[in-house]
Amino acid sequence: MGVRRFRPLTPGQRHKVANDNSDITSYVPEKSLLRSSKRSGGRNHTGKMTVRCLGGGHKRRFRVIDFKRDKQDIPAVVKSIEYDPMRTGRIALLQYNDGEKRYILAPQGLQVGQTIVSGKNVAPNVGNAMPLSAIPLGTIVHNIELNPGQGGKFIRSAGSYAQLTSKEGSYVTLKMPSGETRMVLAACMSTVGSVSNADHNQEVHGKAGRIRWFGRRGRTRPVAMNPVDHPMGGGEGRASGGHPRSRNGQLAKGLKTRKRTKGSNRYIIERRTKGYGSK
């Protein structure tokens, strides 16, 4: 798996950097695990636009992903590694010994034909899912639950992972991708390994049309608007518009927006490092 660059035969290929898709083994999804996907175009139930710059794009179908990994102590064989238009990482199609098929987030290094299993007393191999209490210290994990039985809620995007650093009582300590160190209940499930498609951050679309295929429309710069349209609009000539802010006046670029009384504050040991937003 890697990225590929193109000869600039067209203007759109001059700066384009695409994934070579060498890790994908099947382009035909499992029909029983597909669901229709309805798009809103940024409109709410009354038809009013509440989110700008959305609309259009290629039709997509939702793949039902098993985030809970609750089919325990039953081995499953990896049938294929597939592309999912709804997420940045790859997905893997599993077939259990009883015949059931499920999709999971594909970890880096998972191979077709490999056997994986979920449970409390399984080996900490890539792709296996188990409670955090059963995972050795220093192990790389992803798809981590916040509450037991809830299903994985974070560490699900391409190339992301957390590291298990310590265990104390009914909690374990995880080093998050942002640099944050936080405690999670040891009974929560997680999957060993990092999420696949780690080269996703190197991709460059190369042209505006390819971004439209993803359902994202063009965005007008706030400083180019009029004062009635945005707080940063107006001014004579190329006025900078003052401090960056949103349309409703919320300051950006450094303003802390996290509530001081947020319930999860007591589980955070060390805040995220600089460059990832609020501290």
Side-chain angles (χ1 to χ4, degrees), residues 32-45:
S32 63
L33 298 174
L34 293 179
R35 300 291 184 271
S36 62
S37 176
K38 183 179 179 181
R39 291 176 292 182
S40 65
R43 275 77 174 174
N44 62 7
H45 66 287

Side-chain angles (χ1 to χ4, degrees), residues 50-249:
T50 56
V51 181
R52 299 182 301 155
C53 310
L54 295 182
H58 201 285
K59 288 185 178 180
R60 301 182 294 183
R61 287 183 293 177
F62 181 76
R63 277 77 167 162
V64 179
I65 308 295
D66 178 20
F67 292 113
K68 293 187 176 182
R69 299 293 299 271
D70 54 358
K71 202 173 180 69
Q72 299 194 358
D73 300 322
I74 301 178
V77 178
V78 180
K79 288 297 182 180
S80 61
I81 306 294
E82 301 178 13
Y83 168 79
D84 188 348
M86 298 293 186
R87 61 193 72 252
T88 55
R90 308 300 188 206
I91 57 176
L93 179 62
L94 305 184
Q95 183 168 5
Y96 289 87
N97 288 351
D98 57 4
E100 184 180 359
K101 292 183 179 180
R102 291 188 182 185
Y103 276 127
I104 66 166
L105 296 180
Q108 190 77 28
L110 192 69
Q111 301 293 330
V112 174
Q114 184 175 335
T115 300
I116 61 176
V117 65
S118 173
K120 294 182 179 180
N121 302 313
V122 301
N125 298 331
V126 172
N128 288 351
M130 62 190 75
L132 289 168
S133 59
I135 299 178
L137 295 181
T139 304
I140 298 298
V141 294
H142 69 278
N143 189 36
I144 305 168
E145 293 180 333
L146 276 176
N147 299 303
Q150 185 184 30
K153 289 298 180 182
F154 55 99
I155 319 297
R156 306 195 316 194
S157 61
S160 61
Y161 62 88
Q163 187 174 23
L164 184 64
T165 58
S166 66
K167 301 178 183 180
E168 185 176 353
S170 58
Y171 287 89
V172 300
T173 303
L174 295 174
K175 184 77 170 180
M176 309 299 288
S178 64
E180 177 181 285
T181 303
R182 65 165 297 150
M183 296 188 300
V184 179
L185 279 171
C188 292
M189 294 286 290
S190 67
T191 306
V192 178
S194 61
V195 185
S196 55
N197 196 22
D199 294 328
H200 172 74
N201 62 347
Q202 300 182 27
E203 295 184 30
V204 179
H205 292 312
K207 61 180 182 179
R210 189 160 186 259
I211 300 176
R212 296 296 293 262
W213 299 342
F214 286 90
R216 300 203 297 269
R217 302 173 65 201
R219 169 181 167 272
T220 303
R221 294 176 298 117
V223 295
M225 298 181 184
N226 293 318
V228 69
D229 299 317
H230 199 280
M232 294 167 58
E236 296 294 333
R238 295 180 178 270
S240 63
H243 197 285
R245 62 187 70 224
S246 66
R247 291 186 87 184
N248 58 8

